[in-house]
Amino acid sequence: MGGGQSGQVAPPGKHAVGVTTIQFDDHSRKDPQGGPRSLQTEIWYPAGPGSEACPKNKFSDFLCRGQVQGAIAAAEEKDAIGGYREDPPLTIEELDRTFVNEARRDAPMAQGRFPLVVFSHGNGAFRASYVHLMEYL
């Protein structure tokens, strides 16, 4: 990802970047609340023509776009994103304004064959922590 000089970042590829969220539910395993074991998955892909008309990805998109009751408030707690800065506490609204990324949410896919990369952020990490890497793959 780095260029020839320290601190230099490689230019983006020839395709725009699309991102979408899919949730997989494993009904054969139960989560602690008794429901199906769920896995929210971010899919990053080369975007096709028309992607520039799609909305730019926002940080809140990683939190079910605020559609799940309590998701934003939980993320802003001191033991989560809210604890990254004390005065004033970091908020999802601020991250939506300042989050650096280029992906277009639910953009159309580019035509063609592309390699598949499967990436796990690991235990204790968060999907949005690796946006900078996923956009450049």
Side-chain angles (χ1 to χ4, degrees):
M1 197 163 94
Q5 298 176 3
S6 178
Q8 192 175 27
V9 176
K14 68 178 186 175
H15 293 285
V17 179
V19 61
T20 194
T21 305
I22 294 176
Q23 180 167 306
F24 296 98
D25 293 323
D26 181 352
H27 294 276
S28 70
R29 300 186 326 174
K30 301 294 179 194
D31 70 10
Q33 290 76 36
R37 173 78 184 221
S38 298
L39 176 65
Q40 277 195 336
T41 305
E42 233 52 55
I43 299 178
W44 303 85
Y45 53 91
S51 61
E52 62 281 348
C54 295
K56 206 165 185 188
N57 190 44
K58 295 191 300 186
F59 195 87
S60 59
D61 290 333
F62 296 107
L63 299 168
C64 304
R65 300 178 185 172
Q67 300 300 312
V68 174
Q69 187 174 0
I72 301 291
E76 291 177 340
E77 291 289 329
K78 286 187 182 257
D79 63 347
I81 291 167
Y84 285 19
R85 187 180 66 213
E86 289 186 27
D87 190 24
L90 190 57
T91 66
I92 302 304
E93 181 182 347
E94 177 183 348
L95 286 172
D96 274 350
R97 286 192 320 271
T98 61
F99 184 54
V100 177
N101 75 113
E102 296 300 322
R104 298 298 176 150
R105 185 55 60 175
D106 302 319
M109 286 190 249
Q111 296 297 310
R113 293 176 53 103
F114 301 95
L116 172 66
V117 177
V118 178
F119 174 81
S120 172
H121 56 67
N123 186 25
F126 183 61
R127 298 184 325 271
S129 301
Y130 296 93
V131 167
H132 63 283
L133 178 60
M134 297 298 104
E135 287 189 345
Y136 276 87
L137 285 178

